[in-house]
């Protein structure tokens, strides 16, 4: 009996030692495994103003062609190896499925590369990346592209929302799904006591950070310029051929005081206006994903890795609180806390909702959107989630930091988030 007890104690001691050797928390996600889902290339087009900017006459599928071609050019990956491409997009009729498949073929992918379009509203680009990551993790594919593209210039408007049936209208919560986001965000700002002044200060900061980042060339690495772009001047109707290399929504001289002079957009006594909400814009982005073992075998440079993600539901009228609910879930799945994160990229759909989420989560505001956000340079709906990946990794790389989170609120009442680690 004593021998048995001694042996049991010995086994327990070994187990305790083994458990102590297993990394946990931040240390755990920083460790490397051959099964890690890694990003080897992430890029985007410039974002330009809807109806006015340099890409206003370029269809979403053409933006996607440029982005996918650029991804192949930068990564130098044989397109024959890519098995699936997921494209997030919100506005195209039919979801864009037909033209996005055609776009992949034009971009140089072979017929054996599958393509799908998907729509989870403002998180569509992130959902596309997560769908590809999960397909790789499950063994369904080895290499894939998560992407997003949107031409809000040509497709944004009332026609993008289907009329509700009597059945849907009869349900008190369901009918709230079609309340315009500006209207519900105005209501949320009042209910959650987010003042106009605070919103304008937050929005001005976004513009100021984005301008500083643009002037310092911080976006250059993630942006793939477009040349020979056909552009019809909206003032003169003159057709020109231009090069689009920078986000054109970023403006100089924006202050909380200047924003304070803009009239509210959704209520006479409201606080939300064009200057403290995300810009209507056009753009596309793409992210190349595979396992670490695959990347090493192919000689692909690893940018970073995907760790965890979350998707949650909230009340439709409280759509804007989505990140507040989604971020803690993604952090929990990764086994880390909010303090372990170096940079947060949270979509600025509206200053009101983004600011509320940051405050309610108790995040360090210096870690949130350090180079500005959608208020300053735009939010092409289905593209933003994929754009955030390149923006995040470039910022982590420049600053020598490692752990980042991307997140956004989602129309009709949802939130999504993901945790990433820079290589």
């Amino acid at each position: 009996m004593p021998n048995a007890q001694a042996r049991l104690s010995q086994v327990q001691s070994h187990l305790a030692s083994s458990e102590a050797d297993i990394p946990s928390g931040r240390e755990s996600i920083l460790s490397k495994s051959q099964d890690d889902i890694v990003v080897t290339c992430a890029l985007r087009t410039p974002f330009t103003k809807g109806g006015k900017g340099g890409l206003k006459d370029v269809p979403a599928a053409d933006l996607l062609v440029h982005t996918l071609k650029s991804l192949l050019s930068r990564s130098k990956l044989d397109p024959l190896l890519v098995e699936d491409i997921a494209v997030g997009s919100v506005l195209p009729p039919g979801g864009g499925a037909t033209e996005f498949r055609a776009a992949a073929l034009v971009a140089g992918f072979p017929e054996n590369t599958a393509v799908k379009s998907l729509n989870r509203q403002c998180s569509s680009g992130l959902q596309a990346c997560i769908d590809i990551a999960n397909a790789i993790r499950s063994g369904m594919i080895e290499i894939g592209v998560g992407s997003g593209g949107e031409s809000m210039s040509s497709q944004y408007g009332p026609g993008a929302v289907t009329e509700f049936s009597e059945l849907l209208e009869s349900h008190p919560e369901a009918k709230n799904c079609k309340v315009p986001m500006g209207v519900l965000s105005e209501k949320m700002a009042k209910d959650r006591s987010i003042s106009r002044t605070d919103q304008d200060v937050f929005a001005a900061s976004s513009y100021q950070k984005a301008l500083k980042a643009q002037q310092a060339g911080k976006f250059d690495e993630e942006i793939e310029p477009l040349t020979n772009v056909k552009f019809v001047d909206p003032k003169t109707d003159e057709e020109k051929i231009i090069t689009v290399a920078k986000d054109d929504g970023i403006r100089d001289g924006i202050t909380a005081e200047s924003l304070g002079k803009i009239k509210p957009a959704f209520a006479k006594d409201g606080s939300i206006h064009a200057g403290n909400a995300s810009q209507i814009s056009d753009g596309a982005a793409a992210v190349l994903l595979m396992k670490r073992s695959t990347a090493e075998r192919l000689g692909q440079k690893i940018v970073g890795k995907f760790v965890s993600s979350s998707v949650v539901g909230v009340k439709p009228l409280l759509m804007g609180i989505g990140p507040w609910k989604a971020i803690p879930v993604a952090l929990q799945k990764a086994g880390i806390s909010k303090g372990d994160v170096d940079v947060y990229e949270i979509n600025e759909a509206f200053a009101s909702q983004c600011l509320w989420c940051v405050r309610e989560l108790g995040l360090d505001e210096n870690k949130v959107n350090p180079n500005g956000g959608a208020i300053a340079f735009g939010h092409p709906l289905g593209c933003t989630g994929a754009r955030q990946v390149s923006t995040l990794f470039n910022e982590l790389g420049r600053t020598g930091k490692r752990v980042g989170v991307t997140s956004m609120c989602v129309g009709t009442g949802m939130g999504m988030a993901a945790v990433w680690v820079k290589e």
Side-chain angles (χ1 to χ4, degrees):
M1 191 68 175
N3 288 339
Q5 287 178 333
R7 179 58 182 153
L8 180 59
S9 296
Q10 187 179 35
V11 171
Q12 288 174 333
S13 175
H14 285 316
L15 287 173
S17 298
S18 298
E19 289 173 358
D21 291 338
I22 298 173
S24 61
R26 183 180 165 99
E27 183 185 356
S28 175
I29 65 170
L30 292 179
S31 64
K32 297 178 182 179
S33 163
Q34 290 295 289
D35 289 330
D36 287 338
I37 308 302
V38 301
V39 172
T40 62
C41 189
L43 51 78
R44 66 177 178 96
T45 68
F47 285 1
T48 66
K49 297 177 187 177
K52 301 176 183 178
L55 300 178
K56 73 179 182 66
D57 299 312
V58 183
D62 290 13
L63 292 173
L64 185 65
V65 169
H66 172 75
T67 307
L68 294 177
K69 275 186 175 180
S70 300
L71 197 74
L72 290 176
S73 176
R74 280 202 195 183
S75 67
K76 297 180 173 54
L77 183 72
D78 182 351
L80 285 166
L81 299 176
V82 178
E83 294 163 274
D84 199 10
I85 299 171
V87 187
S89 199
V90 177
L91 301 175
T98 303
E99 58 263 42
F100 294 155
R101 163 66 166 165
L105 295 171
V106 173
F109 289 91
E111 62 187 39
N112 63 284
T113 301
V115 179
K116 74 170 180 180
S117 64
L118 62 94
N119 179 0
R120 198 194 287 276
Q121 310 257 24
C122 302
S123 68
S124 298
L126 176 57
Q127 186 67 63
C129 294
I130 302 308
D131 280 4
I132 292 298
N134 287 336
I136 295 168
R137 186 170 277 169
S138 71
M140 182 178 176
I141 64 173
E142 272 197 288
I143 301 173
V145 175
S147 62
E150 208 79 67
S151 173
M152 296 185 76
S153 290
S154 61
Q155 294 173 319
Y156 183 67
V161 181
T162 305
E163 286 298 317
F164 274 21
S165 67
E166 289 184 12
L167 177 61
L168 300 186
E169 289 280 7
S170 69
H171 189 284
E173 198 68 277
K175 69 180 182 181
N176 288 334
C177 288
K178 72 171 190 176
V179 175
M181 280 188 274
V183 174
L184 62 85
S185 293
E186 186 69 76
K187 185 177 186 304
M188 177 191 161
K190 289 179 181 177
D191 291 347
R192 302 298 167 108
S193 301
I194 307 298
S195 71
R196 161 95 186 232
T197 299
D198 285 354
Q199 292 175 58
D200 288 348
V201 168
F202 180 89
S205 175
S206 181
Y207 274 107
Q208 292 160 8
K209 289 186 291 185
L211 179 65
K212 187 176 180 181
Q214 187 179 64
Q215 290 174 338
K218 290 184 178 181
F219 297 128
D220 294 352
E221 189 176 348
E222 68 193 67
I223 291 177
E224 192 66 34
L226 288 86
T227 58
N228 299 314
V229 176
K230 187 184 292 185
F231 175 78
V232 178
D233 191 310
K235 294 180 180 178
T236 65
D237 283 336
E238 179 188 358
E239 185 176 300
K240 307 174 183 178
I241 300 298
I242 63 173
T243 293
V244 182
K246 293 184 180 295
D247 303 319
D248 68 11
I250 298 173
R251 286 174 284 175
D252 194 0
I254 301 295
T255 65
E257 291 71 29
S258 67
L259 293 177
K261 298 174 183 177
I262 303 175
K263 291 182 179 180
F266 303 102
K268 286 185 178 180
D269 62 342
S271 60
I272 295 175
H273 53 80
N276 62 23
S278 57
Q279 296 184 33
I280 293 171
S281 51
D282 306 317
V287 180
L288 181 60
L289 299 113
M290 63 192 73
K291 280 189 177 181
R292 182 180 296 277
S293 56
T294 306
E296 291 178 351
R297 173 168 52 84
L298 296 173
Q300 286 282 302
K301 181 181 178 181
I302 297 173
V303 175
K305 71 175 180 178
F306 163 70
V307 179
S308 68
S309 63
S310 65
V311 62
V312 300
V314 298
K315 284 185 174 296
L317 289 180
L318 292 175
M319 170 276 304
I321 71 172
W324 163 78
K325 189 172 180 181
I327 289 173
V329 178
L331 295 178
Q332 183 182 33
K333 290 179 183 296
I336 61 174
S337 66
K338 64 184 181 184
D340 292 322
V341 179
D342 298 310
V343 177
Y344 290 88
E345 283 287 334
I346 303 176
N347 188 42
E348 299 168 353
F350 299 89
S352 57
Q353 58 79 214
C354 192
L355 180 57
W356 184 87
C357 289
V358 170
R359 288 176 172 176
E360 202 69 14
L361 287 168
L363 303 182
D364 179 348
E365 292 190 25
N366 292 320
K367 292 183 176 183
V368 179
N369 301 347
N371 297 309
I375 289 172
F377 47 73
H379 172 34
L381 303 175
C383 169
T384 289
R387 186 277 302 169
Q388 288 178 320
V389 178
S390 60
T391 304
L392 175 68
F393 278 138
N394 285 327
E395 175 64 14
L396 290 172
R398 274 190 302 270
T399 56
K401 296 174 181 176
R402 300 294 305 280
V403 181
V405 165
T406 60
S407 184
M408 67 285 293
C409 60
V410 182
T412 70
M414 290 177 279
M416 199 164 182
V419 177
W420 310 82
V421 169
K422 181 76 173 87
E423 187 73 1

